Amino acid sequence: MPRLLSKDALLPVDRIKTIMNSSPEVIDVSGEALFAMAKATELFITMLAKESFPFENHNCDALIYEHVSSFALENDVFHFLQDILPPKMKLRDCLHNIQSSLTEAEIEAQFGNNSDHSDIIDSDSSGSL
């Protein structure tokens, strides 16, 4: 059997080892396990990119964040990605959502006694998260 080398993996094996060792349940990670994890991650990323690309849109020539995010939201199998691939939102909309979910006391504690917080919401109308 040929020896598996980290140069055969596209992802940095040292970084994968650091991430795996950050788990308290992991005691030691073998070279074979690192290589398998690197290849599995490569395959997952490739599959996610291919499945997310809007082939039906002939004007689209690049995969963008919104494609991957909406694919994860629309497919039950990938719901575990929703927290790390949320839809993009303008800062104004995010602050409005936060403000509408807070009580007046929480708003005062967070932003001071100014009852009109529109200056916070309007401060970056073009920004996005």
Side-chain angles (χ1 to χ4, degrees), residues 6-126:
S6 63
K7 69 178 182 177
D8 296 328
L10 297 175
L11 297 173
V13 176
D14 290 338
R15 179 70 178 131
I16 292 171
K17 182 176 185 176
T18 301
I19 293 168
M20 291 176 73
N21 283 332
S22 69
S23 173
E25 294 94 28
V26 174
I27 297 171
D28 192 25
V29 180
S30 71
E32 291 84 8
L34 283 171
F35 183 80
M37 185 61 69
K39 292 310 272 185
T41 304
E42 288 173 25
L43 291 171
F44 175 76
I45 293 170
T46 301
M47 184 273 312
L48 183 61
K50 286 180 179 178
E51 294 291 324
S52 299
F53 191 82
F55 288 105
E56 68 280 352
N57 184 352
H58 298 292
N59 296 330
C60 184
D61 60 351
L63 179 66
I64 59 174
Y65 178 87
E66 284 81 6
H67 296 151
V68 180
S69 176
S70 44
F71 177 78
L73 288 172
E74 294 166 4
N75 292 280
D76 291 339
V77 175
F78 297 100
H79 273 217
F80 71 97
L81 294 174
Q82 287 180 350
D83 290 339
I84 60 173
L85 292 172
K88 281 191 171 181
M89 168 184 290
K90 292 196 179 292
L91 178 58
R92 167 187 58 221
D93 298 334
C94 181
L95 290 173
H96 177 73
N97 289 347
I98 291 170
Q99 187 177 19
S100 64
S101 69
L102 295 175
T103 65
E104 190 61 35
E106 291 171 322
I107 292 172
E108 287 179 15
Q110 186 81 16
F111 301 109
N113 290 331
N114 181 4
S115 62
D116 178 23
H117 300 290
S118 60
D119 58 324
I120 297 169
I121 294 172
D122 293 333
S123 65
D124 187 8
S125 61
S126 64

